[in-house]
Amino acid sequence: MSRRGQEPDSGAESLSSDEKEVVAGGMEGEGSAEEHPAGEDGSENGSSSSSEEESDAEESDGRRSGEEQEEKELLPHCNASGVNCLPSCEHCRKENDQKEQVTPRRLSGGQHVVQLDAEGTYQCSLTGLIFEVTGAVKITYSLLSWSKYANLVEKPWIVGGPLFDVRCDSAAALTSIQFPHSLCLGDHGAGMAFKVLHIKGEGAAIEPSADYSASHVKWLVSSLSPVGPLIQSQEPVQYHGAVILYKVVDEHPSLSFRVYVATNNDSFIKDISRAVKHSNKKFVKIDKPPVCQKLLQKGKRYRLVCEPEAEITPEEIEFVDGSLLKLKSYIEVYLEKPDDFTLSLVELESDATVWKAKLRESDWIHYDQNKNEQKRSAVSVKKRKPAISILEEEELCSKKQKTGNNGDGIEPKLTDQQLMVIAKLFGRQWREIAIECLQMEMKDIEQIQATEEEVNIQKFLVLSKWRDREQSNGTAEALYRSLHEKAPYEILQALQGFSS
């Protein structure tokens, strides 16, 4: 860590106590609300009702395989290796201390787990969390939504980064946690105070940070329950930002998009993903580099520009960190003709381009093709077979006995070679798909992983277990029906090829 925390006091201070370090100048008061277009008012407070609506039952919806997609959307600042890293910022000081990278294993309910075998400092390659331990420990952690706890964050404090629930099988061995933050400190770190919100049951306490750097806030572990970084600042806060794109999926030839302008905060981005997922419309995420090339500043105004011209609502927005808002603001973009186009986010004051992306039909056409293939498959499955006479039925049975075919148009079971082809096409989300779509048990997957190191063989053994369980129904068509809502397009294509 490059800089010391500025909190000389020790221990935790209650949220209800008078704040001794109030910074001059009012900070943004965020409440909890529902998703809404950016032009509408979203400052509705959401204390108890927010907690009830986003209950633990909703947190556990990560047991569905959509959780894998959510996770990919949470991490716009990860490079190809998965290591959590923002693009080089000319204002941020470089950090030379490299931490040992560890990749967690995913559990149901959106949880991650890492087994650390010795004393040291380790960084999670997916979330950016940094753990300092004195010995071998198993740490389990999950990303939470700030909006659920909006009533616990009081002025002048504001959210500084994602909120995590961390657990450990040996709490005494976990001495500190460093939480990633989404701020650009530049040369203004001296005017900021860093602390953490430590949520305990129905209440919470603001606890001092031990240190902070250009990317993290360090906290000495007092006890384990949800914790996230807070800041207060005497100067306007600048954020590393992200622009997240979703396209409406419907039968209309026109194009409609939602554009979210967010802080590069995983909790914020997870909320966006969840809001889109629970919308009454269907969306597909457009994979474009999301990280803003220039900083976003609270209170500044930005305009989204489209070339060629499109209907954009609202035309301008004033940027605020919406982490505490249950309503996530977005900009709606509508184009009558489905042509290629370019979107740019421009800061009005300087006319500087903050973010820019070229969108082409190929960015979403694979999803539409996949959807159409699924429709065609569903239609073919539902078609009634033509009635046959008793004589024809007897002839068919006779052929079945002679050839060994099971007749009735049912295809043979998938072979080992075919299962290996499918196994190699599965991506990182294969465990979640196996649990949700194939009704596999997590204990069976863990048992396979414990006995086999090669990932493709693990996938093959899971598929083989499904085939054995299904017996005569372990066919390509049956596997297609089980996977068609979640599996990648390449897998569905391969299964259709096997069926034909």
Side-chain angles (χ1 to χ4, degrees):
M1 309 291 284
S2 61
R3 309 177 188 181
R4 297 298 306 168
Q6 297 179 324
E7 298 82 3
D9 54 305
S10 60
E13 56 182 281
S14 169
L15 279 174
S16 60
S17 66
D18 293 334
E19 186 59 59
K20 302 299 183 183
E21 300 182 19
V22 176
V23 176
M27 304 301 290
E28 177 68 19
E30 296 102 331
S32 175
E34 294 286 338
E35 186 189 32
H36 64 297
E40 300 175 12
D41 182 11
S43 60
E44 173 191 348
N45 189 288
S47 53
S48 60
S49 62
S50 174
S51 292
E52 290 169 1
E53 290 172 13
E54 274 203 10
S55 63
D56 291 336
E58 185 179 5
E59 292 287 350
S60 68
D61 72 355
R63 289 182 175 85
R64 292 171 289 184
S65 65
E67 176 184 291
E68 177 76 15
Q69 180 62 28
E70 274 188 10
E71 185 169 76
K72 289 163 69 177
E73 294 171 11
L74 303 183
L75 306 170
H77 45 281
C78 284
N79 59 25
S81 65
V83 177
N84 186 291
C85 58
L86 285 167
S88 178
C89 174
E90 60 183 0
H91 306 289
C92 291
R93 296 182 181 178
K94 301 291 188 298
E95 295 180 36
N96 297 320
D97 53 332
Q98 297 296 318
K99 313 294 189 301
E100 181 175 345
Q101 298 289 324
V102 291
T103 300
R105 184 162 55 89
R106 296 183 189 85
L107 304 178
S108 61
Q111 297 185 91
H112 299 82
V113 61
V114 290
Q115 178 69 54
L116 306 179
D117 297 326
E119 178 182 4
T121 303
Y122 304 85
Q123 182 169 21
C124 171
S125 63
L126 293 181
T127 64
L129 284 172
I130 298 175
F131 305 107
E132 186 177 0
V133 300
T134 58
V137 293
K138 181 169 77 171
I139 305 174
T140 304
Y141 47 101
S142 57
L143 182 68
L144 302 180
S145 169
W146 274 107
S147 63
K148 183 176 179 180
Y149 305 101
N151 62 309
L152 300 178
V153 181
E154 298 180 350
K155 292 181 180 180
W157 295 101
I158 60 175
V159 170
L163 178 70
F164 287 95
D165 187 13
V166 181
R167 309 286 173 175
C168 182
D169 64 351
S170 177
L174 179 57
T175 57
S176 75
I177 303 173
Q178 295 180 35
F179 298 92
H181 65 71
S182 54
L183 310 173
C184 179
L185 304 186
D187 298 322
H188 307 297
M192 293 184 178
F194 289 82
K195 293 198 176 184
V196 299
L197 184 72
H198 191 180
I199 299 167
K200 304 175 181 181
E202 298 299 319
I206 294 179
E207 297 183 1
S209 62
D211 203 352
Y212 69 93
S213 71
S215 60
H216 286 76
V217 177
K218 183 175 182 179
W219 172 65
L220 302 181
V221 175
S222 56
S223 61
L224 292 175
S225 56
V227 179
L230 298 178
I231 62 161
Q232 57 172 282
S233 175
Q234 297 173 333
E235 300 178 11
V237 179
Q238 294 184 314
Y239 296 90
H240 296 290
V243 176
I244 316 295
L245 302 173
Y246 288 91
K247 176 187 177 292
V248 176
V249 178
D250 54 29
E251 303 301 325
H252 300 293
S254 57
L255 301 178
S256 182
F257 295 83
R258 281 187 182 181
V259 181
Y260 291 86
V261 181
T263 59
N264 205 338
N265 173 339
D266 286 354
S267 289
F268 193 163
I269 296 169
K270 180 177 182 178
D271 283 349
I272 291 172
S273 175
R274 181 167 294 166
V276 170
K277 183 177 175 182
H278 293 170
S279 171
N280 56 4
K281 294 182 179 179
K282 192 164 190 142
F283 292 87
V284 58
K285 185 175 183 294
I286 304 301
D287 188 17
K288 291 293 176 182
V291 178
C292 295
Q293 300 307 305
K294 293 187 178 296
L295 301 174
L296 298 176
Q297 182 172 314
K298 174 189 169 293
K300 282 196 172 182
R301 299 193 66 81
Y302 299 85
R303 177 192 294 271
L304 190 67
V305 178
C306 183
E307 179 62 40
E309 189 173 348
E311 294 181 27
I312 298 178
T313 309
E315 294 182 352
E316 299 176 9
I317 62 167
E318 179 178 333
F319 179 75
V320 295
D321 176 20
S323 297
L324 294 178
L325 301 175
K326 194 172 182 193
L327 266 176
K328 302 304 181 186
S329 299
Y330 61 87
I331 303 170
E332 186 176 59
V333 178
Y334 176 81
L335 294 96
E336 189 69 40
K337 296 181 180 180
D339 295 326
D340 296 353
F341 63 98
T342 300
L343 286 177
S344 304
L345 186 68
V346 177
E347 181 187 293
L348 289 184
E349 182 181 340
S350 64
D351 204 32
T353 299
V354 175
W355 170 90
K356 187 174 184 178
K358 175 81 171 180
L359 281 79
R360 306 170 182 86
E361 188 178 15
S362 58
D363 292 324
W364 58 83
I365 192 64
H366 291 305
Y367 179 88
D368 292 338
Q369 287 176 345
N370 189 10
K371 185 164 67 76
N372 291 334
E373 289 290 345
Q374 292 171 15
K375 281 187 177 181
R376 284 197 290 270
S377 174
V379 169
S380 64
V381 169
K382 291 177 182 178
K383 284 181 179 177
R384 295 177 59 88
K385 294 179 182 178
I388 59 176
S389 66
I390 295 176
L391 183 61
E392 290 172 324
E393 189 171 359
E394 288 177 353
E395 185 178 344
L396 187 60
C397 289
S398 175
K399 287 182 180 179
K400 173 182 171 182
Q401 292 172 354
K402 290 179 182 179
T403 63
N405 192 302
N406 55 12
D408 204 27
I410 298 178
E411 62 186 302
K413 292 169 62 174
L414 285 161
T415 65
D416 285 353
Q417 291 75 17
Q418 290 171 332
L419 288 183
M420 181 55 76
V421 170
I422 300 301
K424 290 180 178 179
L425 292 174
F426 269 111
R428 294 168 55 190
Q429 79 282 11
W430 67 274
R431 301 172 195 83
E432 288 82 352
I433 293 179
I435 293 171
E436 180 179 357
C437 300
L438 304 182
Q439 285 73 54
M440 303 299 295
E441 298 289 337
M442 190 64 194
K443 62 181 181 180
D444 295 329
I445 297 176
E446 290 178 340
Q447 185 177 4
I448 289 172
Q449 289 179 308
T451 57
E452 176 55 56
E453 292 184 0
E454 214 284 308
V455 177
N456 284 332
I457 299 298
Q458 294 173 6
K459 301 174 191 175
F460 167 80
L461 292 173
V462 168
L463 290 170
S464 180
K465 190 175 184 67
W466 168 85
R467 180 188 61 186
D468 295 344
R469 187 192 67 205
E470 295 296 313
Q471 298 183 357
S472 62
N473 198 37
T475 65
E477 184 179 347
L479 187 56
Y480 182 99
R481 288 198 302 268
S482 297
L483 297 178
H484 78 276
E485 291 186 354
K486 303 294 181 183
Y489 180 58
E490 294 79 5
I491 290 178
L492 302 180
Q493 272 189 319
L495 288 172
Q496 285 182 324
F498 296 154
S499 293
S500 60

